[in-house]
Amino acid sequence: MGYEYDDQNIFAKILRGEIPNDTVLETEHSLAFRDIAPQAPAHVLVIPKGAYVTQDHFAEAASADEIVDFMRAVGEVCRILGVAPGAGGAGFRTLSNAGTHGVQEVPHFHMHVLAGRPLGPMLAA
Ligand code: AMP
């Protein structure tokens, strides 16, 4: 058991600068960029720069500095997008897919930030 990180995944390539991305925010330990196939008017992915496969892997193996940086980056992205309710925005949804049942496509931990319209029920299926 445990996690083996595949450093050929597409987000690892983005972090190495091998493929371009539409950056929204970069911090010491995190990067936020627009999803290439947006599911809502605003759809941003926030990823740690470290090699973590899923949210539980990140929670277990990342340093406190990385975790704080990541969570603050998610909040900052919401403010940048103008959707943070505390700053007058209409709200957002964060979600992170993990593993087979979570239908995770890219095996580098990422948080989706979705916003820009009423997002409907939490799960469609
Ligand atoms: P998940 O199913 O949670 O692993 O979602 C992976 C997400 O990454 C999908 O929403 C894709 O549209 C997105 N994605 C894949 N390749 C890229 C890329 N090169 N730049 C930005 N987003 C991407």
Side-chain angles (χ1 to χ4, degrees), residues 4 40 66 79 123-124:
E4 250 179 64
E66 288 173 291
R79 284 187 289 278
L123 293 177

Side-chain angles (χ1 to χ4, degrees), residues 24-103:
V24 172
L25 176 71
E26 181 166 10
T27 66
E28 182 180 1
H29 296 297
S30 309
L31 180 69
F33 52 92
R34 292 190 187 274
D35 196 292
I36 204 166
Q39 305 290 311
H43 187 173
V44 172
L45 303 172
V46 187
I47 68 173
K49 291 181 178 176
Y52 306 106
V53 180
T54 59
Q55 195 275 337
D56 61 291
H57 185 208
F58 181 66
E60 178 187 281
S63 68
D65 278 355
E66 288 173 291
I67 293 170
V68 169
D69 180 292
F70 182 84
M71 292 307 292
R72 292 204 192 285
V74 173
E76 182 61 17
V77 163
C78 294
R79 284 187 289 278
I80 290 168
L81 296 175
V83 299
F92 59 89
R93 180 173 295 160
T94 55
L95 66 89
S96 180
N97 299 316
T100 306
H101 280 193
V103 196

